[in-house]
Amino acid sequence: MRTSFNIPDDLLSEFDETWQAEGLDSRSRGVREAMQEYIEVHTRLEDIEGDVVVIIAFDYEHEAVIEEIHDVQHQFQDVITTTNHIHEGEWCLETLFCSGPAPRVRDLTYRLRDFDAVSRVKLMLLAEH
């Protein structure tokens, strides 16, 4: 099946450099592998039950969403135990250390991904109870 995507030129250029450096035979192969990895991460997050300990790291454009990000963090203070925030120009990098019910942590992760000004949200599972 053929499809098309709107991708910023700089992201596409980096992607092309990456799949070529890894020795893949085509951009399509790189996209398929990236999609599979995304599905695996999403499925893993959906399958977790019980209590978890995680780190959620994300970056965002400060001025665009800082108030909304703080609102979300207050809504999830029952699972957020510690935060760390650093500035990189107009961008911020934030880490949230979380502990609690997996569905609640999952909801927090998805809420953070909802913002256009949030570039990436990465979850590292440290423990399942």
Side-chain angles (χ1 to χ4, degrees):
M1 176 168 94
R2 290 198 169 273
T3 189
S4 64
F5 299 97
N6 292 322
I7 301 171
D9 289 338
D10 58 337
L11 180 60
L12 183 59
S13 177
E14 284 185 64
F15 183 75
D16 284 344
E17 288 175 19
T18 303
W19 68 261
Q20 290 168 358
E22 290 183 359
L24 297 179
D25 48 355
S26 69
R27 179 187 287 159
S28 292
R29 172 75 187 267
V31 170
R32 283 193 303 271
E33 286 191 16
M35 291 174 77
Q36 184 62 41
E37 183 176 322
Y38 178 81
I39 291 167
E40 288 170 3
V41 168
H42 177 78
T43 301
R44 176 74 175 121
L45 184 57
E46 286 296 314
D47 289 344
I48 298 171
E49 296 296 331
D51 286 342
V52 294
V53 177
V54 304
I55 296 172
I56 302 172
F58 61 102
D59 61 335
Y60 59 93
E61 189 177 351
H62 181 86
E63 292 299 321
V65 292
I66 189 65
E67 290 181 26
E68 292 90 346
I69 292 292
H70 285 163
D71 288 345
V72 168
Q73 289 179 0
H74 283 106
Q75 293 168 16
F76 287 87
Q77 63 187 346
D78 58 310
V79 293
I80 298 173
T81 59
T82 305
T83 64
N84 186 23
H85 179 101
I86 62 170
H87 295 270
E88 186 64 38
E90 296 299 313
W91 285 85
C92 297
L93 173 62
E94 192 124 1
T95 53
L96 308 177
F97 298 86
C98 303
S99 178
R104 187 82 171 128
V105 172
R106 189 170 35 246
D107 290 345
L108 169 58
T109 303
Y110 293 154
R111 285 287 302 279
L112 294 170
R113 288 181 177 159
D114 281 343
F115 296 104
D116 288 338
V118 172
S119 177
R120 286 173 292 261
V121 178
K122 298 289 184 181
L123 184 137
M124 181 188 321
L125 178 66
L126 301 175
E128 293 181 62
H129 303 287

